[in-house]
Amino acid sequence: MKNSDLKASNQKQNFNIFVDTIKSITTIAVASGALFLIGFHVIPVFADKAPQIFSEDNTNNQIVFNQEVSSVISNGAVSAEKKTLR
């Protein structure tokens, strides 16, 4: 192998190492940016909207549940009163 071939091989190897380093840095930067956007922009938007979504769905169910629980409690209280009166 000639000296110029060895020098070209070393330059190519150095260039490949440089390209691999740039790829790694770019991957880390893109992943960090994506996590930043998810953490500080996407999640807070859904966190603000989540109570509205759940409250709309569960409002009617909660009203029915509360009425059922109160009727069971009142029936239990009436039966307890009847037992104590007898």
Side-chain angles (χ1 to χ4, degrees), residues 60-74:
N60 293 333
N61 295 338
Q62 188 65 33
I63 292 171
V64 171
F65 177 75
N66 287 340
Q67 289 173 349
E68 290 174 356
V69 168
S70 63
S71 68
V72 168
I73 290 172
S74 64

Side-chain angles (χ1 to χ4, degrees), residues 41-57:
H41 294 287
V42 175
I43 291 174
V45 168
F46 283 113
D48 289 340
K49 291 186 179 184
Q52 297 168 0
I53 293 169
F54 291 121
S55 66
E56 290 171 3
D57 292 341

Side-chain angles (χ1 to χ4, degrees), residues 11-65:
Q11 285 179 343
K12 186 174 181 177
Q13 186 178 11
N14 288 339
F15 179 74
N16 287 337
I17 291 172
F18 175 73
V19 169
D20 288 342
T21 304
I22 295 298
K23 285 182 190 177
S24 298
I25 291 171
T26 304
T27 302
I28 292 170
V30 168
S32 297
L35 289 174
F36 174 81
L37 290 175
I38 289 171
F40 289 103
H41 294 287
V42 175
I43 291 174
V45 168
F46 283 113
D48 289 340
K49 291 186 179 184
Q52 297 168 0
I53 293 169
F54 291 121
S55 66
E56 290 171 3
D57 292 341
N58 291 330
T59 301
N60 293 333
N61 295 338
Q62 188 65 33
I63 292 171
V64 171
F65 177 75

